[in-house]
């Protein structure tokens, strides 16, 4: 049964009792007052309401704010532009007041609030956008010769530091003066930061470039430098990583091209075709592949050249020729058996019988040296000794022609002999080259066999080409070597691991894994491997690109100084 108040007091003896005095000073808060004070948002005063100027407009303002000096007036410029456009097009988030002055004033207020809010919510994006704006503003200046010098992009290191520092101080000082409303102290601080960035940038580029060069470990010995110069002269591009003395860089050069997406395929093809063309030019050809057609065309052309010069020249049977033939017979008789020397002696006798009045007529001389003539057949003997002395006889006859012919014909004949010898030198390699690519490593052996005095500098261009192939284009062994495995592991496992961690972290943050996430992880790993290989490939092709890029980045020095100033500027002065 419910108890009324009178019954309650009767039971407990509290009728007429008063509450004790408040000795603690505690104030009893009325519920309605509590609700109005703590649970209801206070009304915003005019001008404090949230402003949404749109993300695109906020990003554009950040871009403009990054422009040195002029960026201080970016909000005003954006406000004026939108105020002018409002009567003609829709400008969401902007004022629609009746006059330009009213619209611009209101727009400037809204843009400042909205852009500042965007920068507060997206500090990294805003910083990047401002940096991009400052860099873009400097680009046209850097494109001119005077502007490049002023920004410290050209000249010697000390000149770049001095001019870069002076320009940086001027721009950053003026920028700080404009953004701070004329505060001289802020201007001085900006000038100091700008000067520091401008002076240090060239030195940072040089130090990093030197570090990369140290890692690449380029060879500096005289022989290597000679071959590098010859390769350039002959049109054979050599990658810096191929001339490195570092086994790791050499292995990188070998393994990175095997990774899809490395971008080194074009460089390798260019080198291969350059090497083939250089070889072809040694026998008068001009081809990127040494195919049977190329060889046949060279042989036909050289044969026609021999015929033309030999038939058109009366060759003297002079004392040097007589002495040379006599010496060949004498030397052969001292080392060969009678049955071996017989065909050699017979050839010399028949050659002597063709002499009339101390001369060979051109046609007779040409017939002696033609392809199927007895001397030519003797040069194809299976007996290496007979083959050697037959070659000596041919050389003596050809030397005699060069002494007898007019200067122009002698020069043509000498060149044809040189080209023919080179063609015969690479003949065995051309037979093995299914794709028409001459093996750089096998060429050296053939050149040595064709040039007994190779060690003493004999051989001409083809000797240099062979040494270039051996020094720079010979691949290190790659059959499971620890170093090769380590290089591949770096790209095949290292890069995907980083990509997988990033994608996996994002998937976990977004609520777990699913099939699409698995696909994303796989593609991310492949793309990371390719990107890492491509970056390594570009550095191996042009290690100086890092220092060059850092040198060109001097154009971003004013923007970098501006960002440093923004970070250190009082909150109310930031833009």
């Amino acid at each position: 049964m419910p108890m009324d108040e009178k019954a309650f007091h009767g039971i407990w003896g509290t009728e007429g009792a008063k509450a004790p005095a408040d000795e603690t000073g505690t104030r009893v808060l009325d519920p309605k007052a509590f609700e109005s004070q703590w649970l209801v948002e206070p009304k915003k005063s005019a001008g404090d309401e949230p402003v949404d100027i749109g993300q695109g407009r906020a990003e554009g303002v950040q871009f403009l704010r990054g422009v040195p000096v002029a960026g201080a007036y970016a909000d005003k410029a954006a406000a004026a532009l939108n105020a002018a456009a409002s009567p003609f097009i829709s400008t969401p988030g902007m004022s629609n007041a009746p006059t330009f002055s009213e619209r611009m004033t209101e727009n400037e207020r809204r843009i400042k609030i909205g852009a500042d809010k965007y920068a507060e919510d997206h500090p990294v994006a805003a910083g990047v956008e401002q940096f991009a704006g400052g860099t873009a503003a400097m680009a046209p200046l850097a494109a001119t010769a005077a502007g490049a010098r002023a920004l410290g992009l050209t000249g010697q290191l000390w000149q770049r530091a001095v001019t870069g520092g002076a320009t940086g101080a001027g721009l950053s000082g003026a920028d700080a003066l404009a953004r701070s409303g004329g505060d001289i102290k802020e201007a001085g601080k900006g000038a100091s930061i700008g000067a520091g960035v401008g002076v240090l940038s060239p030195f940072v580029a040089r130090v990093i470039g030197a570090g990369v060069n140290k890692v690449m470990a380029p060879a500096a010995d005289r022989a290597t430098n000679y071959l590098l110069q010859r390769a350039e002269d002959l049109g054979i591009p050599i990658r810096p990583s191929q001339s490195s003395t570092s086994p790791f860089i050499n292995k990188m050069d070998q393994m990175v091209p095997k990774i899809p997406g490395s971008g080194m395929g074009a460089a390798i093809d260019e080198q291969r075709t350059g090497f083939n063309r250089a070889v072809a030019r040694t026998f008068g050809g001009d081809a990127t592949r040494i195919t049977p057609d190329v060889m046949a065309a060279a042989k036909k052309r050289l044969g026609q050249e021999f015929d033309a010069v030999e038939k058109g020249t009366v060759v003297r049977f002079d004392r040097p020729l007589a002495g040379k033939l006599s010496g060949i017979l004498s030397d052969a008789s001292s080392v060969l058996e009678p049955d071996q020397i017989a065909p050699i002696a017979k050839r010399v006798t028949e050659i002597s019988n063709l002499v009339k009045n101390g001369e060979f007529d051109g046609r007779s001389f040409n017939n002696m040296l033609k392809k199927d003539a007895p001397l030519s057949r003797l040069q194809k003997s299976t007996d290496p000794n007979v083959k050697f002395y037959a070659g000596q006889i041919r050389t003596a006859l050809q030397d005699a022609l060069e002494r007898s012919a007019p200067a122009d014909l002698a020069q043509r004949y000498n060149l044809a002999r040189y080209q023919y010898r080179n063609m015969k030198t690479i003949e065995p390699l051309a037979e093995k080259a299914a794709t028409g690519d001459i093996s750089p490593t096998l060429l050296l052996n053939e050149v040595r066999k064709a040039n007994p005095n190779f060690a003493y500098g004999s051989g001409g261009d083809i000797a240099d080409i062979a040494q270039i192939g051996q020094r720079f284009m010979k691949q290190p062994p790659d059959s499971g070597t620890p170093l090769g495995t380590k290089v591949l592991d770096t790209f095949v496992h290292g890069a995907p691991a980083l990509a997988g961690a990033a994608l996996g972290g994002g998937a976990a943050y977004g609520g777990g894994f699913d099939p699409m996430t698995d696909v994303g992880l796989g593609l991310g790993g492949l793309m990371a491997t390719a990107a890492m290989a491509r970056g390594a490939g570009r550095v191996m092709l042009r290690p100086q690109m890092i220092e060059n890029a850092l040198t060109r980045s001097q154009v971003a020095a004013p923007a970098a100084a501006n960002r440093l100033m923004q970070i250190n500027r009082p909150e109310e002065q930031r833009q």
Side-chain angles (χ1 to χ4, degrees), residues 36 125 165 204 243 260 314 349 372 400 403 412 434 479 572:
S36 64
V204 170
S243 63
V314 174
T349 300
D372 293 323
R403 292 192 299 272
R412 285 173 54 188
S479 55
E572 63 275 8

PDB file of all heavy atoms in Angstrom, residues 36 125 165 204 243 260 314 349 372 400 403 412 434 479 572:
ATOM      1  N   SER A  36      20.294  24.021 -20.212  1.00  0.00           N
ATOM      2  CA  SER A  36      20.536  25.156 -21.111  1.00  0.00           C
ATOM      3  C   SER A  36      22.003  25.548 -21.145  1.00  0.00           C
ATOM      4  O   SER A  36      22.507  26.050 -22.142  1.00  0.00           O
ATOM      5  CB  SER A  36      19.679  26.357 -20.685  1.00  0.00           C
ATOM      6  OG  SER A  36      20.077  26.788 -19.380  1.00  0.00           O
ATOM      7  N   ALA A 125      48.770  17.548 -47.451  1.00  0.00           N
ATOM      8  CA  ALA A 125      48.316  17.915 -48.790  1.00  0.00           C
ATOM      9  C   ALA A 125      48.491  19.410 -49.029  1.00  0.00           C
ATOM     10  O   ALA A 125      48.943  19.844 -50.099  1.00  0.00           O
ATOM     11  CB  ALA A 125      46.857  17.523 -48.979  1.00  0.00           C
ATOM     12  N   GLY A 165      72.101  31.820 -52.901  1.00  0.00           N
ATOM     13  CA  GLY A 165      71.863  32.411 -51.587  1.00  0.00           C
ATOM     14  C   GLY A 165      71.330  33.824 -51.683  1.00  0.00           C
ATOM     15  O   GLY A 165      70.404  34.214 -50.950  1.00  0.00           O
ATOM     16  N   VAL A 204      74.653  20.305 -51.010  1.00  0.00           N
ATOM     17  CA  VAL A 204      73.935  19.064 -50.732  1.00  0.00           C
ATOM     18  C   VAL A 204      73.887  18.193 -51.987  1.00  0.00           C
ATOM     19  O   VAL A 204      74.118  16.983 -51.935  1.00  0.00           O
ATOM     20  CB  VAL A 204      72.511  19.372 -50.221  1.00  0.00           C
ATOM     21  CG1 VAL A 204      71.679  18.095 -50.153  1.00  0.00           C
ATOM     22  CG2 VAL A 204      72.566  20.035 -48.857  1.00  0.00           C
ATOM     23  N   SER A 243      81.303  -0.375 -66.231  1.00  0.00           N
ATOM     24  CA  SER A 243      82.697   0.006 -66.016  1.00  0.00           C
ATOM     25  C   SER A 243      83.031   0.108 -64.529  1.00  0.00           C
ATOM     26  O   SER A 243      84.139   0.491 -64.167  1.00  0.00           O
ATOM     27  CB  SER A 243      82.997   1.341 -66.696  1.00  0.00           C
ATOM     28  OG  SER A 243      82.217   2.381 -66.131  1.00  0.00           O
ATOM     29  N   PRO A 260      60.942  -7.895 -64.914  1.00  0.00           N
ATOM     30  CA  PRO A 260      59.989  -7.172 -65.783  1.00  0.00           C
ATOM     31  C   PRO A 260      59.721  -5.769 -65.266  1.00  0.00           C
ATOM     32  O   PRO A 260      59.533  -5.554 -64.064  1.00  0.00           O
ATOM     33  CB  PRO A 260      58.718  -8.045 -65.697  1.00  0.00           C
ATOM     34  CG  PRO A 260      59.213  -9.406 -65.322  1.00  0.00           C
ATOM     35  CD  PRO A 260      60.398  -9.166 -64.430  1.00  0.00           C
ATOM     36  N   VAL A 314      99.783  -2.970-113.014  1.00  0.00           N
ATOM     37  CA  VAL A 314     100.953  -3.762-113.427  1.00  0.00           C
ATOM     38  C   VAL A 314     101.856  -3.872-112.201  1.00  0.00           C
ATOM     39  O   VAL A 314     102.316  -2.860-111.663  1.00  0.00           O
ATOM     40  CB  VAL A 314     101.703  -3.088-114.594  1.00  0.00           C
ATOM     41  CG1 VAL A 314     102.983  -3.850-114.911  1.00  0.00           C
ATOM     42  CG2 VAL A 314     100.806  -3.000-115.815  1.00  0.00           C
ATOM     43  N   THR A 349     107.713 -21.337-107.896  1.00  0.00           N
ATOM     44  CA  THR A 349     108.271 -21.487-109.244  1.00  0.00           C
ATOM     45  C   THR A 349     107.273 -21.019-110.305  1.00  0.00           C
ATOM     46  O   THR A 349     107.630 -20.287-111.249  1.00  0.00           O
ATOM     47  CB  THR A 349     108.649 -22.952-109.494  1.00  0.00           C
ATOM     48  OG1 THR A 349     109.624 -23.358-108.538  1.00  0.00           O
ATOM     49  CG2 THR A 349     109.199 -23.145-110.903  1.00  0.00           C
ATOM     50  N   ASP A 372      89.562 -19.856-106.732  1.00  0.00           N
ATOM     51  CA  ASP A 372      89.837 -21.269-107.005  1.00  0.00           C
ATOM     52  C   ASP A 372      91.204 -21.504-107.656  1.00  0.00           C
ATOM     53  O   ASP A 372      91.472 -22.587-108.198  1.00  0.00           O
ATOM     54  CB  ASP A 372      88.733 -21.839-107.903  1.00  0.00           C
ATOM     55  CG  ASP A 372      87.387 -21.886-107.183  1.00  0.00           C
ATOM     56  OD1 ASP A 372      87.394 -22.175-105.971  1.00  0.00           O
ATOM     57  OD2 ASP A 372      86.354 -21.604-107.820  1.00  0.00           O
ATOM     58  N   ALA A 400     103.421  -6.447-102.798  1.00  0.00           N
ATOM     59  CA  ALA A 400     104.077  -5.981-104.027  1.00  0.00           C
ATOM     60  C   ALA A 400     103.125  -5.128-104.857  1.00  0.00           C
ATOM     61  O   ALA A 400     103.526  -4.128-105.469  1.00  0.00           O
ATOM     62  CB  ALA A 400     104.566  -7.179-104.839  1.00  0.00           C
ATOM     63  N   ARG A 403     102.962  -1.632-103.532  1.00  0.00           N
ATOM     64  CA  ARG A 403     104.143  -0.842-103.866  1.00  0.00           C
ATOM     65  C   ARG A 403     104.103  -0.390-105.330  1.00  0.00           C
ATOM     66  O   ARG A 403     104.675   0.650-105.675  1.00  0.00           O
ATOM     67  CB  ARG A 403     105.414  -1.652-103.616  1.00  0.00           C
ATOM     68  CG  ARG A 403     105.710  -1.939-102.156  1.00  0.00           C
ATOM     69  CD  ARG A 403     107.122  -2.482-101.963  1.00  0.00           C
ATOM     70  NE  ARG A 403     107.345  -3.747-102.672  1.00  0.00           N
ATOM     71  CZ  ARG A 403     107.086  -4.951-102.162  1.00  0.00           C
ATOM     72  NH1 ARG A 403     106.593  -5.045-100.930  1.00  0.00           N
ATOM     73  NH2 ARG A 403     107.318  -6.044-102.873  1.00  0.00           N
ATOM     74  N   ARG A 412      93.004   1.991-101.853  1.00  0.00           N
ATOM     75  CA  ARG A 412      91.798   1.167-101.979  1.00  0.00           C
ATOM     76  C   ARG A 412      92.115  -0.299-101.701  1.00  0.00           C
ATOM     77  O   ARG A 412      91.357  -1.001-101.015  1.00  0.00           O
ATOM     78  CB  ARG A 412      91.200   1.319-103.376  1.00  0.00           C
ATOM     79  CG  ARG A 412      90.473   2.615-103.620  1.00  0.00           C
ATOM     80  CD  ARG A 412      90.063   2.741-105.088  1.00  0.00           C
ATOM     81  NE  ARG A 412      89.288   1.579-105.552  1.00  0.00           N
ATOM     82  CZ  ARG A 412      88.944   1.383-106.822  1.00  0.00           C
ATOM     83  NH1 ARG A 412      89.320   2.263-107.763  1.00  0.00           N
ATOM     84  NH2 ARG A 412      88.231   0.322-107.162  1.00  0.00           N
ATOM     85  N   ALA A 434      72.717 -17.136 -84.574  1.00  0.00           N
ATOM     86  CA  ALA A 434      71.400 -17.382 -85.172  1.00  0.00           C
ATOM     87  C   ALA A 434      70.600 -16.097 -85.340  1.00  0.00           C
ATOM     88  O   ALA A 434      69.830 -15.952 -86.283  1.00  0.00           O
ATOM     89  CB  ALA A 434      70.624 -18.376 -84.310  1.00  0.00           C
ATOM     90  N   SER A 479      74.941 -18.401 -62.314  1.00  0.00           N
ATOM     91  CA  SER A 479      74.284 -19.674 -62.017  1.00  0.00           C
ATOM     92  C   SER A 479      74.208 -19.889 -60.506  1.00  0.00           C
ATOM     93  O   SER A 479      74.961 -20.654 -59.925  1.00  0.00           O
ATOM     94  CB  SER A 479      75.064 -20.821 -62.672  1.00  0.00           C
ATOM     95  OG  SER A 479      76.421 -20.796 -62.252  1.00  0.00           O
ATOM     96  N   GLU A 572      48.522  33.342 -36.667  1.00  0.00           N
ATOM     97  CA  GLU A 572      47.665  34.327 -37.307  1.00  0.00           C
ATOM     98  C   GLU A 572      48.250  34.873 -38.604  1.00  0.00           C
ATOM     99  O   GLU A 572      47.552  35.491 -39.409  1.00  0.00           O
ATOM    100  CB  GLU A 572      47.378  35.503 -36.342  1.00  0.00           C
ATOM    101  CG  GLU A 572      48.608  36.312 -35.934  1.00  0.00           C
ATOM    102  CD  GLU A 572      49.360  35.707 -34.764  1.00  0.00           C
ATOM    103  OE1 GLU A 572      48.995  34.570 -34.371  1.00  0.00           O
ATOM    104  OE2 GLU A 572      50.288  36.332 -34.248  1.00  0.00           O
TER     105      GLU A 572
END
